[in-house]
């Protein structure tokens, strides 16, 4: 865990313009900056960054946040990863809370592996571009395959010479831990603990994680040894290289996937590189393994649309079908494209070109579920038992579509599959529901063993199933509450008069009133607590709040696409009006409008109680209350009528 002190230090150093301008071409407009939104395609800039408020807001697609959430959203980083990125940028030493000795060792090993891999990558690149063997064998091979120099450099491809220990010797001479080298996969121990290069005579494909750090390598054999050794070997699993969590090319494909709202999945390294070179950059590779849940979740961070592009042979089809159920459970929309004529994506795009390749993908996408059913039925032929198994298999697959928002999609699949299978639609629906019920029963049985422990640790809580969150959107009180919160956040620390600040004025005036919007009430109470403790709460305090709902609401309230023109400043100065601060009037108006809304609501409720009441004494009470409320309403209305903005 990063210490709160370090987090605050990072926040204090953040320059949101400096950070976002690395991704967006920003132009100054007044006190803000604007540019084309990086989260959706637009021609007219609607993406606004406020350096004073330290927030961004796109008034086209609605995306908003602070510098940290921008990195999390754009680069798909976790909160901790974003903080570490910022700490590295501003040269801030990260302090972490006390961890166990075992965890420290894991962290230290991971950090050492990153450093080792980075050094090795630079060495292997140099051998490819400057080494006699690398130029003659590896670089010439890559160019023969059609890879341009800029592409080779982009993916940091390298070469490990055939000399048995050239890389290992270089690593040891540069003081790298001898025990760490085999763990990285770069070296391997032979007889009598002799350490030699593991990837010699191979082209090296560095593998980057989501943030661009090199976590491992793929090594392809070339030259004389290619008939005697495996075509590819990879880094063994270690603290930073976990095969099931890796998608080759994800670092380069993040933004293209996000913008295209589609991820293309291929098998191999060269497939990814060739497609990138052809301008098709929303592509990653699974590394020739079955698609895993972790890989699917990485894709889901960027898009819900997955198109799998595999070879058209039987092994390619089987590879494509693996992992389908997991993709459906994660809510992905999966399509399949099979490359014809024993081609792979690498060779096919080089054969037909970028435009034809894109057209082929567009016109040959097969629905994954329907394709799976067709393959199963083709294998079944006229065998009744196999056909029966096909029905069960497809029902099991469809049962994985279990999110409420996918109900319509499931019904359409059932309809299509029933027609292809020539069976009753209702019968297939019942079978799908049976598989769902069986899964629920199994899950419940698994949880039963831990029920007693969970009840002791976490007491039963009532789940609120009301529609409060929806009704708030349509509640007339909400606007007055938002206005009041905006004034509190932006002007609360200013003086209302000689005796009190605007925050104190608001708190005193609202002593007997409540907020309809629970989220606004939470923010106001947090502000009040911080203020009473002598702190200086401001919008920035809540802009970096850990609660996403609070952060988003504050951004929505304080962000605006408009600002006063510089010409108005000139006109005001010409009229000898230097100070156009209307915070006191804003506070007075906002408080009174807020109170007026509450009083009107109380009058309506009191009137209703009076109309249904039959007891004479209670009727008299309600009449008295009505008079007092109307008098208060009159006073507030008069106050509002006499407010003049200066």
């Amino acid at each position: 865990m990063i210490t709160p002190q370090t987090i605050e230090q990072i926040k204090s150093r953040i320059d949101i313009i400096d950070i976002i301008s690395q991704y967006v071409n920003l132009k100054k407009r007044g006190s803000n900056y604007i540019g084309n939104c990086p989260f959706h395609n637009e021609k007219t800039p609607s993406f606004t960054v406020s350096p004073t408020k330290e927030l961004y807001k796109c008034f086209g697609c609605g995306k908003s946040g602070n510098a940290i959430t921008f990195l999390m959203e754009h680069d798909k980083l976790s909160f901790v990863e974003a903080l570490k990125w910022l700490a590295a940028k501003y040269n801030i030493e990260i302090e972490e809370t006390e961890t166990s000795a075992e965890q420290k060792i894991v962290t230290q090993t991971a950090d050492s592996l990153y450093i080792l891999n980075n050094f090795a990558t630079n060495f292997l690149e140099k051998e490819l571009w400057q080494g006699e063997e690398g130029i003659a064998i590896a670089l010439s091979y890559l160019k023969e395959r059609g890879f341009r120099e800029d592409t080779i450099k982009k993916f940091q491809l390298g070469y490990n010479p055939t000399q048995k220990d050239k890389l290992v010797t270089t690593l040891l001479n540069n003081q790298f831990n001898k025990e760490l080298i085999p763990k990285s996969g770069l070296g391997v121990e032979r007889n009598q603990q002799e350490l030699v290069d593991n990837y010699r005579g191979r082209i090296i494909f560095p593998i980057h994680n989501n943030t661009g750090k090199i976590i491992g390598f793929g090594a392809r054999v070339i030259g004389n040894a290619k008939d005697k050794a495996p075509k590819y070997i990879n880094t063994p699993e270690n603290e930073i290289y976990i095969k099931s969590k890796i998608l080759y090319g994800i670092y380069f494909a993040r933004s293209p996937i996000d913008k295209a709202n589609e991820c293309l999945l291929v098998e191999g390294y060269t497939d990814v590189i060739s497609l990138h070179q052809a301008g098709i950059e929303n592509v990653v590779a699974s590394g020739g393994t079955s698609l895993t849940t972790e890989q699917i979740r990485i894709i889901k961070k960027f898009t819900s649309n997955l198109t799998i592009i595999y070879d058209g042979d039987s092994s390619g089809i089987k590879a494509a079908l693996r992992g389908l159920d997991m993709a459906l459970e994660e809510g992905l929309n999966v399509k399949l494209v099979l490359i014809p004529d024993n081609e792979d994506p690498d060779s096919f795009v080089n054969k037909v070109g970028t435009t034809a390749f894109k057209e082929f993908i567009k016109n040959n996408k097969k629905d994954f579920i329907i394709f799976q059913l067709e393959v199963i039925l083709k294998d079944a032929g006229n065998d009744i038992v196999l056909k029966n198994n096909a029905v069960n298999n497809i029902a099991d697959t469809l049962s994985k579509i279990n999110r409420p928002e996918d109900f319509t999609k499931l019904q359409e699949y059932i309809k299509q599959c029933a027609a292809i299978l020539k069976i009753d639609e209702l019968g297939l629906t019942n079978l799908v529901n049976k598989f769902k019920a069986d899964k629920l029963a199994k899950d419940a049985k698994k949880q039963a063993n831990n029920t007693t422990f969970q009840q002791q640790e976490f007491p039963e809580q009532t789940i609120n199933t009301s529609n409060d969150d929806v009704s708030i959107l349509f509640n007339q009180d909400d606007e007055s509450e938002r206005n009041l919160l905006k004034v509190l956040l932006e002007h609360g620390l200013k003086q209302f008069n000689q005796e009190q600040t605007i925050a104190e004025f608001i708190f005193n005036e609202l002593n007997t009133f409540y907020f309809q919007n629970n989220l606004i009430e939470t923010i106001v109470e947090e502000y009040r607590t911080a203020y009473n403790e002598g702190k200086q709460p401001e919008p920035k305090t809540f802009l970096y709040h850990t609660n996403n709902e609070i952060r988003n609401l504050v951004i929505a309230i304080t962000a605006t696409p408009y600002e006063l023109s510089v010409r108005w400043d000139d006109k005001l100065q010409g009229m000898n009006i230097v100070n156009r601060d209307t915070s006191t009037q804003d506070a007075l108006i906002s408080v009174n409008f807020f109170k007026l809304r509450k009083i009107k609501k109380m009058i309506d409720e009191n009137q209703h109680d009076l109309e249904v009441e039959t007891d004479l004494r209670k009727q008299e009470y309600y009449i008295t209350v009505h008079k007092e409320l109307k008098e208060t309403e009159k006073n507030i209305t008069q106050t509002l009528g006499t407010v003049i903005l200066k």
Side-chain angles (χ1 to χ4, degrees), residues 611-622:
E611 291 173 356
V612 298
E613 186 56 61
T614 56
D615 186 282
L616 185 59
R617 284 179 298 178
K618 289 185 178 180
Q619 286 178 348
E620 291 175 350
Y621 167 76
Y622 288 135

Side-chain angles (χ1 to χ4, degrees), residues 326-569:
M326 290 181 290
L328 294 176
E329 285 180 327
E330 293 297 322
L332 290 182
N333 303 311
V334 187
K335 303 292 183 183
L336 174 67
V337 176
L338 296 178
I339 303 296
D341 304 327
N342 295 319
E343 302 274 4
D344 55 31
D346 172 21
S347 62
F348 193 60
V349 74
N350 286 316
K351 178 180 178 181
V352 303
T354 302
T355 303
F357 186 90
K358 287 182 176 179
E359 282 297 313
F360 179 83
I361 298 300
K362 180 180 177 181
N363 297 328
N364 289 274
K365 290 181 182 178
K366 297 176 181 289
D367 185 278
F368 215 149
I369 290 178
I370 303 302
F371 177 77
Q372 181 193 34
L373 179 56
E374 290 173 350
V375 169
I376 294 173
L377 285 178
K378 183 178 179 181
D379 291 341
N382 295 320
D383 191 309
I384 296 177
V385 175
L386 293 179
K387 282 186 176 181
N388 184 66
N389 291 339
V391 174
N392 285 315
N393 287 338
I394 205 64
D396 187 21
T397 294
L398 292 174
S399 71
K400 304 298 190 299
I401 305 174
N402 53 19
R403 300 189 310 164
E405 59 267 37
D406 292 334
F407 175 79
T408 303
K409 181 167 71 172
L410 174 60
Q411 296 305 305
E412 182 60 30
Y413 272 129
I414 289 175
K415 182 179 179 180
Q416 291 184 37
C417 291
I420 295 171
L421 289 164
K422 298 178 181 178
I423 61 174
D424 179 57
E425 189 176 322
L426 179 60
L428 182 57
T429 300
N430 292 335
L431 188 58
V432 170
N433 289 336
K434 179 181 180 300
F435 276 103
K436 286 187 175 184
D438 289 346
K439 184 179 185 302
L440 288 173
K442 289 179 181 178
D443 291 343
K445 191 173 182 180
K446 288 179 181 178
Q447 293 177 351
N449 296 331
N450 298 322
T451 300
T452 304
F453 171 77
Q454 290 174 352
Q455 287 177 345
Q456 290 173 349
E457 291 292 319
F458 308 103
E460 185 176 352
Q461 298 178 351
T462 303
I463 298 174
N464 182 9
T465 57
S466 69
N467 292 321
D468 289 347
D469 292 337
V470 177
S471 65
I472 284 172
L473 296 174
F474 304 97
N475 197 300
Q476 294 180 6
D477 290 343
D478 201 50
E479 185 177 354
S480 64
E481 294 183 358
R482 282 170 173 258
N483 287 336
L484 189 58
L485 177 60
K486 181 181 175 72
V487 171
L488 177 64
L489 290 173
E490 294 188 345
H491 306 303
L493 301 179
K494 297 178 181 178
Q495 287 298 128
F496 182 77
N497 51 38
Q498 291 182 348
E499 289 79 30
Q500 59 184 346
T501 62
I502 288 176
E504 291 167 343
F505 165 72
I506 290 174
F507 294 144
N508 292 334
E509 289 292 315
L510 302 187
N511 231 7
T512 58
F513 293 93
Y514 67 94
F515 288 90
Q516 179 73 30
N517 188 319
N518 294 331
L519 200 58
I520 292 178
E521 183 175 21
T522 299
I523 297 172
V524 171
E525 287 306 311
E526 286 194 19
Y527 188 107
R528 190 201 304 264
T529 301
Y531 185 87
N532 290 338
E533 291 175 352
K535 298 176 182 177
Q536 302 286 306
E538 54 185 7
K540 182 178 176 181
T541 306
F542 298 93
L543 186 62
Y544 293 98
H545 203 285
T546 55
N547 184 314
N548 290 339
E549 291 183 340
I550 289 178
R551 186 173 65 242
N552 292 336
L553 178 59
V554 170
I555 291 170
I557 287 173
T558 58
T560 171
Y562 311 110
E563 58 180 304
L564 200 62
S565 169
V566 176
R567 293 180 181 178
W568 274 106
D569 282 331

Side-chain angles (χ1 to χ4, degrees), residues 65-200:
N66 54 52
I68 295 174
T69 59
F70 179 87
L71 291 171
M72 293 171 66
E73 180 72 26
H74 190 276
D75 288 353
K76 306 302 176 185
L77 305 179
S78 67
F79 179 68
V80 173
E81 287 172 338
L83 287 177
K84 289 184 175 181
W85 187 96
L86 289 165
K89 177 177 176 59
Y90 294 114
N91 295 317
I92 296 171
E93 184 177 351
I94 293 212
E95 294 183 7
E96 301 187 64
T97 54
E98 191 65 29
T99 55
S100 65
E102 293 81 5
Q103 185 60 42
K104 284 182 178 178
I105 292 173
V106 171
T107 303
Q108 290 170 358
T109 302
D111 290 342
S112 298
L113 284 169
Y114 284 129
I115 296 169
L116 175 63
N117 288 345
N118 190 62
F119 181 92
T121 299
N122 292 333
F123 171 86
L124 296 166
E125 280 189 281
K126 187 176 180 181
E127 286 295 324
L128 176 68
W129 292 101
Q130 299 179 21
E132 183 178 338
E133 189 178 320
I135 294 172
I137 300 175
L139 191 57
S140 62
Y141 170 82
L142 290 170
K143 289 184 175 181
E144 285 173 10
R145 289 285 302 266
F147 296 120
R148 300 191 306 263
E149 289 190 359
D150 61 312
T151 303
I152 296 170
K153 290 177 180 178
K154 173 182 177 180
F155 285 88
Q156 295 182 271
L157 304 188
Y159 177 71
N160 199 151
T162 54
Q163 182 179 328
K164 75 172 184 176
D165 59 357
K166 188 171 185 179
L167 173 57
V168 166
T169 300
T170 304
L171 292 172
L172 293 174
N173 288 340
N174 281 272
Q175 309 304 312
F176 283 100
N177 189 328
K178 184 177 181 180
E179 295 179 359
L180 205 62
I181 296 174
K183 184 182 281 286
S184 71
L186 295 166
V188 61
E189 288 186 354
R190 295 303 185 201
N191 298 331
Q192 298 178 345
Q193 296 185 332
E194 179 188 16
L195 200 58
V196 298
D197 290 359
N198 191 29
Y199 301 142
R200 56 187 183 275

Side-chain angles (χ1 to χ4, degrees), residues 595-646:
K595 290 166 67 175
L596 188 61
R597 281 295 313 153
K598 300 302 178 186
I599 293 295
K600 285 182 176 292
K601 193 169 185 179
M602 292 166 69
I603 290 173
D604 291 340
E605 292 173 351
N606 188 73
Q607 182 67 31
H608 176 267
D609 292 340
L610 176 60
E611 291 173 356
V612 298
E613 186 56 61
T614 56
D615 186 282
L616 185 59
R617 284 179 298 178
K618 289 185 178 180
Q619 286 178 348
E620 291 175 350
Y621 167 76
Y622 288 135
I623 291 171
T624 303
V625 171
H626 180 77
K627 289 179 180 179
E628 292 176 354
L629 290 173
K630 291 298 288 185
E631 184 66 25
T632 304
E633 180 187 33
K634 180 182 176 181
N635 293 336
I636 295 173
T637 304
Q638 288 177 343
T639 302
L640 287 170
T642 58
V643 173
I644 300 174
L645 298 181
K646 297 181 180 179

Side-chain angles (χ1 to χ4, degrees), residues 31-92:
S31 61
N32 294 335
Y33 291 76
I34 66 165
N36 288 328
C37 180
F39 302 113
H40 80 288
N41 293 321
E42 62 176 7
K43 295 180 180 179
T44 303
S46 60
F47 184 79
T48 303
V49 185
S50 170
T52 55
K53 295 178 180 178
E54 296 188 27
L55 60 83
Y56 68 88
K57 170 82 175 180
C58 176
F59 294 94
C61 68
K63 291 283 175 106
S64 62
N66 54 52
I68 295 174
T69 59
F70 179 87
L71 291 171
M72 293 171 66
E73 180 72 26
H74 190 276
D75 288 353
K76 306 302 176 185
L77 305 179
S78 67
F79 179 68
V80 173
E81 287 172 338
L83 287 177
K84 289 184 175 181
W85 187 96
L86 289 165
K89 177 177 176 59
Y90 294 114
N91 295 317
I92 296 171

